[in-house]
Amino acid sequence: MITREQRKEITEVFKATDTVGAGLLDGEGLYKGLRTLGLEVPISEGGIESLLRSVNRHEEGYIDSDDFNTIVSNLMTMQQQQQNDQNNDEDEDEYYKYDDMDDDDEEEEEEFIDDSQRDDAFQALTQNSKNGMITLESLQQTCKEQGEEWTIQELKEMLNEADTNHDGVIDPIEFKRIWKLAGF
């Protein structure tokens, strides 16, 4: 999950990279922006096109700030997962050296609890929604009820980060993906 400070930095980098002030970046601008943020970027033209395709902008060849946020978030998440996987691989040998117990039942129970918690969270976020999906309005209402103070822009960015099919709502599959990315 991206912090508020990271979101602010991403927005600043987008604005600085958008030298024309059109609110759009082409492939070269995308590459420069990502490098400015210290992210590993595919160098080939196909790599940049793949990133454009990931936000359905491969035909236009330009992205806006929401697309940039989504790409950055996805790259940061992938890099964090790769780093976690490496750390887990290193720790795995040490773990199995000392644990000969069969943990299958325990793991299944943990997964069930995680699924249950995720489902409860999704239900809480959709209780104010007319279509059973997480919408900007349902996020606003839930934040208000919880005493959380998020700006409309921050909520839109969160919605955009999770909304991989760009239909304007977060469905259960998208919520499951973002739940896992957040480490829950």
Side-chain angles (χ1 to χ4, degrees):
M1 189 67 69
I2 294 179
T3 66
R4 287 183 186 193
E5 292 82 25
Q6 289 171 319
R7 285 189 192 284
K8 185 177 178 182
E9 181 182 9
I10 293 166
T11 300
E12 289 171 2
V13 167
F14 180 87
K15 288 178 183 176
T17 308
D18 176 21
T19 56
V20 178
L24 298 170
L25 297 179
D26 61 5
E28 183 179 339
L30 171 60
Y31 177 83
K32 288 179 182 176
L34 295 174
R35 291 303 301 153
T36 300
L37 290 167
L39 294 169
E40 295 177 27
V41 184
I43 297 175
S44 70
E45 196 169 304
I48 295 296
E49 184 175 324
S50 172
L51 293 175
L52 293 172
R53 186 177 302 280
S54 74
V55 291
N56 295 323
R57 301 290 186 185
H58 54 283
E59 290 181 19
E60 296 98 341
Y62 293 92
I63 60 168
D64 61 19
S65 63
D66 289 337
D67 298 327
F68 186 69
N69 279 313
T70 299
I71 291 170
V72 169
S73 173
N74 290 341
L75 286 174
M76 289 175 81
T77 300
M78 284 180 8
Q79 288 181 8
Q80 186 178 27
Q81 282 180 326
Q82 288 172 350
Q83 186 177 19
N84 289 343
D85 289 345
Q86 285 177 337
N87 292 340
N88 288 340
D89 288 345
E90 292 169 3
D91 294 339
E92 194 171 287
D93 292 336
E94 201 60 33
Y95 174 77
Y96 285 114
K97 193 186 306 183
Y98 296 105
D99 187 15
D100 294 328
M101 293 173 40
D102 183 5
D103 291 333
D104 288 342
D105 292 337
E106 194 174 303
E107 287 176 15
E108 286 178 17
E109 184 177 326
E110 286 178 19
E111 287 178 24
F112 176 76
I113 291 170
D114 290 346
D115 289 348
S116 176
Q117 290 173 338
R118 184 190 66 237
D119 293 343
D120 290 346
F122 185 80
Q123 292 300 318
L125 291 168
T126 59
Q127 71 182 356
N128 299 309
S129 173
K130 295 176 185 171
N131 62 3
M133 305 292 178
I134 299 172
T135 63
L136 178 61
E137 293 77 22
S138 69
L139 277 176
Q140 285 177 294
Q141 186 62 34
T142 302
C143 287
K144 183 179 177 184
E145 290 170 1
Q146 297 293 322
E148 295 287 332
E149 295 184 24
W150 293 82
T151 66
I152 296 292
Q153 183 61 34
E154 288 171 328
L155 293 174
K156 284 181 180 178
E157 288 173 4
M158 282 189 267
L159 187 69
N160 187 53
E161 184 176 328
D163 183 20
T164 55
N165 64 4
H166 303 289
D167 63 355
V169 297
I170 301 171
D171 62 43
I173 294 169
E174 292 167 324
F175 187 75
K176 182 178 181 178
R177 182 187 69 82
I178 205 74
W179 182 269
K180 285 184 178 183
L181 290 176
F184 294 112

